[in-house]
């Protein structure tokens, strides 16, 4: 937040106000931002742990092996409502018991659950990491997969919804981020 500090008028007329930063009055800046090196380390680490829905979709769409498998950690009822094509279905509660039969520890796993309001993919990623798997969590989960207009499979077949213009650019396949 910036505030203006009045200055004394000059012979040419009133002086222009001077902008000053007042972090104490800003809820955003009550706690100062991290030092750039600390911020870089944090955001680099975040990318180690997370994958973006659009990046996952692009990798799966490309010809050849994407280099990872996608794991849906939701219930069977949720899986039947819709899931990412090619995903492996393994509810979090069954990971310890069944992961060894379904997954290769040499292939990274990208987990997802319902969406950003659900931490099921985080719990699944934790369970897999504790078993020795390389794992990332797909941010946005199935909700953002569908909202961005990517095809998904249901018990009735393949579906696709129009992309939500609040989550995906209307005129381009690339958001530029």
């Amino acid at each position: 937040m910036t505030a203006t500090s009045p200055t004394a008028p000059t012979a040419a007329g009133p002086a222009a106000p001077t902008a000053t930063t007042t972090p104490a009055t800003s809820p955003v800046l009550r706690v100062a931002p991290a030092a750039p090196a600390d911020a870089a380390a944090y955001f680099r680490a975040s990318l180690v742990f997370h994958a973006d829905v659009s990046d996952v979709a692009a990798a799966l769409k490309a010809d050849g092996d994407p280099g990872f498998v996608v794991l849906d950690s939701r219930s069977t009822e949720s899986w039947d409502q819709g899931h990412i094509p090619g995903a492996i279905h393994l509810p979090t509660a069954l990971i310890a018991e069944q992961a060894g039969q379904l997954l290769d520890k040499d292939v990274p796993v990208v987990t997802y659950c319902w969406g950003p309001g659900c931490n099921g993919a985080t719990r699944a990623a934790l369970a897999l990491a504790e078993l020795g798997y390389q794992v990332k969590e797909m941010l946005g989960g199935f909700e953002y997969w569908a909202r961005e207009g990517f095809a998904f499979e249901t018990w009735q077949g393949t579906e696709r919804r129009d992309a939500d213009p609040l989550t995906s650019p209307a005129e381009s396949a690339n958001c530029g981020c």
Side-chain angles (χ1 to χ4, degrees), residues 8-58:
T10 65
T18 305
T20 59
T21 303
T22 55
T25 61
S26 168
V28 172
L29 298 176
R30 277 190 198 124
V31 175
D38 293 339
Y42 171 84
F43 293 117
R44 185 176 300 104
S46 178
L47 293 171
V48 169
F49 299 112
H50 299 114
D52 178 84
V53 166
S54 294
D55 291 341
V56 171

Side-chain angles (χ1 to χ4, degrees), residues 16-176:
T18 305
T20 59
T21 303
T22 55
T25 61
S26 168
V28 172
L29 298 176
R30 277 190 198 124
V31 175
D38 293 339
Y42 171 84
F43 293 117
R44 185 176 300 104
S46 178
L47 293 171
V48 169
F49 299 112
H50 299 114
D52 178 84
V53 166
S54 294
D55 291 341
V56 171
L60 293 175
K61 184 179 178 182
D63 292 334
D65 179 6
F68 60 89
V69 297
V70 179
L71 185 137
D72 185 317
S73 65
R74 301 172 301 147
S75 69
T76 299
E77 295 81 11
S78 299
W79 168 268
D80 288 345
Q81 279 182 244
H83 58 271
I84 295 173
I88 294 170
H89 182 227
L90 182 57
T92 302
L94 300 176
I95 287 175
E97 172 185 325
Q98 296 181 8
Q101 300 153 18
L102 298 171
L103 302 169
D104 179 345
K105 285 191 178 178
D106 293 330
V107 178
V109 179
V110 176
T111 63
Y112 75 90
C113 198
W114 273 113
C118 172
N119 67 2
T122 306
R123 288 192 311 271
L126 173 60
L128 289 164
E130 288 176 340
L131 292 172
Y133 291 89
Q134 302 170 71
V135 65
K136 287 189 172 200
E137 176 184 4
M138 185 177 78
L139 297 176
F142 183 73
E143 175 188 349
Y144 275 73
W145 184 273
R147 287 182 73 183
E148 290 191 23
F150 299 120
F152 56 93
E153 296 173 346
T154 72
W155 65 274
Q156 296 177 314
T158 302
E159 294 184 27
R160 180 187 301 264
R161 296 184 178 162
D162 290 339
D164 180 339
L166 296 176
T167 66
S168 181
E171 302 298 323
S172 171
N174 183 345
C175 69

